[in-house]
Amino acid sequence: MDMKDVLTIILLLIALCCLIAMPQTLRGKKNNKYVVACLWRGKRRKLTYMSFWQAYWYHGWLNMVDWIVIILPL
């Protein structure tokens, strides 16, 4: 596998994380606010955002971190 293949896989994973973030963000809409629930140091946190894009990018970031945690032990 050369560098081009690795870069393609990384870009595909980023695109997948962003696509998955869209329904996750819309699912968390409550009364014109967007709720993002996540685990942080073993505790469940709920963050509230007024803007769709803030919640969307936060979901995308969480998805990317999940993939990194899954791939690193390999």
Side-chain angles (χ1 to χ4, degrees):
M1 240 169 48
D2 61 346
M3 191 63 164
K4 187 177 178 182
D5 293 338
V6 172
L7 199 61
T8 303
I9 291 170
I10 290 171
L11 290 174
L12 285 173
L13 285 175
I14 290 172
L16 179 66
C17 290
C18 290
L19 284 173
I20 292 171
M22 185 71 69
Q24 288 175 333
T25 305
L26 292 174
R27 190 179 319 125
K29 185 175 182 181
K30 309 275 189 235
N31 300 331
N32 273 347
K33 296 179 183 174
Y34 296 90
V35 178
V36 177
C38 62
L39 288 174
W40 181 255
R41 296 185 181 177
K43 295 180 183 176
R44 190 163 182 84
R45 290 178 44 186
K46 286 190 176 183
L47 304 169
T48 304
Y49 293 102
M50 297 298 288
S51 168
F52 168 80
W53 291 108
Q54 288 176 327
Y56 172 76
W57 288 115
Y58 196 82
H59 269 297
W61 174 249
L62 287 175
N63 291 338
M64 287 181 221
V65 170
D66 285 344
W67 276 104
I68 290 169
V69 170
I70 289 170
I71 291 174
L72 276 181
L74 300 178

